Amino acid sequence: MNYPNFPKDCKSLLCKYLTPKIFEVLKDKKTPNGFTLQQAINSGVKNIDSGIGVYAGDKESYDVFAPLFDPIIKEYHGFDRNDMHKSNLNPDDLEAPNPDPKGEFIVSTRIRVGRNMNNMPLGPAILKEQRDEAEAKVVDGLRTLKGELAGDYYPLLGMSKEVQDELIKDHFLFKEGDRFLDAAGLNRDWPAGRGIYHNKNKTFLVWVNEEDQLRIISMQQGGDIKEVFIRLTQAINSIETKVPFSYSDHLGYITSCPTNLGTAMRASVHIALPNLAKDMDAFKAITDKHHLQIRGIHGEHSESEGGIYDISNRRRLGITEVQAVQDMYDGVVELIAAEKALR
Ligand code: ADP
Ligand code: CIR
């Protein structure tokens, strides 16, 4: 394998940190699962517009390829090789009264976490039989959930195109054919082993074997962020008793993309900010101050529609879950005040 041919204007963290020197050190390294540097960087090599460009094939990837992953983790999360991660999923510690009680700005709120099973390779390196086994174990665990969390599992295999498209359009299901995930090896054997579990009202959902083995999701209309967080933490706690999650004291919950490590949490609102959006510099000044990311209305790499944006916490590692939601909450309060001032 030769050093990749990156274009001059390549902006990804892969281009920034995979120097020829680091490449020489890592190029023949493999994890115990046989995951190589070439596999770890393929997404960013094939997709030159990547923001990050790397994926891990297993927990060990973060050690074996540390000279590449560490600086990426440092730049994205501000987290050092010797730092320790701490989790706090206690909703009592979250100060988040509804910032939009009249429902003028916030369309909906969603909080998700990524999880992977202990002693199992991550999606980019997983074998078909292992993926199928993960699906079976996760679904077994989900079937024991009670009350508001009780629901059904809908495998992608056999789902009609109409149902799949409708679930995607309504923001409940992951997209198909994402080119970043594809180049990372995450779409192998599609659609086998993938599916979605949800309760009747679709306020609690679990994606199975997408980018991570589990994406546990709580969502609802409006801006009651705390209610969404409470439902999520109850679900995580129940699932954790059935499915052992991959965790490290250093990196927190282990995920295939280094941006998701730690809390693996993305807390977002879909929020109408049509006036503020006319001045993207002012908009970004607020989101940067609160460590927030702006996405479009159909998720990552999509555009806004009708002045509605997806606003979420950017940091996930080295802060607690409560702090991740607090970042989003505090930023949203300031965004609403700025939008109001422009009306
Ligand atoms: P993830 O959040 O899992 O990293 P995406 O950015 O691709 O992945 O978003 C997944 C889906 O969740 C998309 O359909 C997106 O529009 C939807 N979504 C995200 N935040 C919200 C929200 N606050 N309300 C409704 N849908 C949302
Ligand atoms: C990229 O590098 O753009 C994709 N692999 C997605 C990275 C994860 N998203 C993010 O920035 N939070």
Side-chain angles (χ1 to χ4, degrees), residues 34-48:
F35 195 70
T36 63
L37 178 71
Q38 190 163 9
Q39 288 173 290
I41 67 174
N42 196 50
S43 190
V45 170
K46 294 273 157 64
N47 298 288
I48 287 307

Side-chain angles (χ1 to χ4, degrees), residues 137-318:
K137 288 201 169 134
V138 168
V139 172
D140 267 359
L142 292 173
R143 290 207 194 286
T144 65
L145 295 177
K146 301 260 173 340
E148 195 196 5
L149 304 180
D152 284 306
Y153 180 65
Y154 305 90
L156 225 54
L157 199 63
M159 185 183 284
S160 76
K161 182 96 180 74
E162 290 72 40
V163 170
Q164 186 184 351
D165 286 349
E166 177 131 339
L167 284 169
I168 294 171
K169 177 176 72 58
D170 294 340
H171 308 289
F172 296 124
L173 181 62
F174 44 86
K175 294 176 279 190
E176 180 168 338
D178 181 283
R179 64 190 160 91
F180 300 87
L181 301 187
D182 208 60
L186 276 155
N187 292 344
R188 288 170 303 125
D189 311 309
W190 188 279
R194 280 80 175 188
I196 182 170
Y197 171 98
H198 62 76
N199 66 0
K200 192 157 165 280
N201 296 333
K202 300 198 190 84
T203 53
F204 167 62
L205 309 96
V206 180
W207 294 356
V208 179
N209 284 323
E210 193 242 10
E211 183 178 320
D212 292 302
Q213 280 143 21
L214 298 99
R215 285 288 175 96
I216 305 171
I217 302 161
S218 168
M219 63 196 283
Q220 67 191 44
Q221 296 301 107
D224 195 335
I225 295 167
K226 188 148 178 165
E227 191 167 281
V228 173
F229 186 63
I230 290 171
R231 184 187 303 112
L232 180 76
T233 56
Q234 286 168 347
I236 295 171
N237 293 337
S238 302
I239 298 172
E240 194 154 29
T241 63
K242 310 281 173 196
V243 182
F245 297 146
S246 181
Y247 187 84
S248 116
D249 289 338
H250 170 50
L251 293 176
Y253 290 99
I254 302 297
T255 53
S256 62
C257 179
T259 65
N260 281 319
L261 289 164
T263 60
M265 174 174 280
R266 192 168 85 89
S268 66
V269 288
H270 277 180
I271 182 168
L273 301 167
N275 293 304
L276 187 58
K278 288 180 194 146
D279 182 354
M280 282 315 276
D281 287 342
F283 191 168
K284 285 200 175 116
I286 299 175
T287 53
D288 284 350
K289 176 177 159 197
H290 294 279
H291 314 284
L292 303 181
Q293 190 177 51
I294 307 172
R295 294 188 181 185
I297 198 74
H298 293 291
E300 189 160 31
H301 308 115
S302 73
E303 298 298 320
S304 156
E305 279 170 23
I308 299 177
Y309 291 83
D310 172 331
I311 303 296
S312 62
N313 61 294
R314 188 169 184 282
R315 306 185 290 176
R316 305 188 223 290
L317 173 62

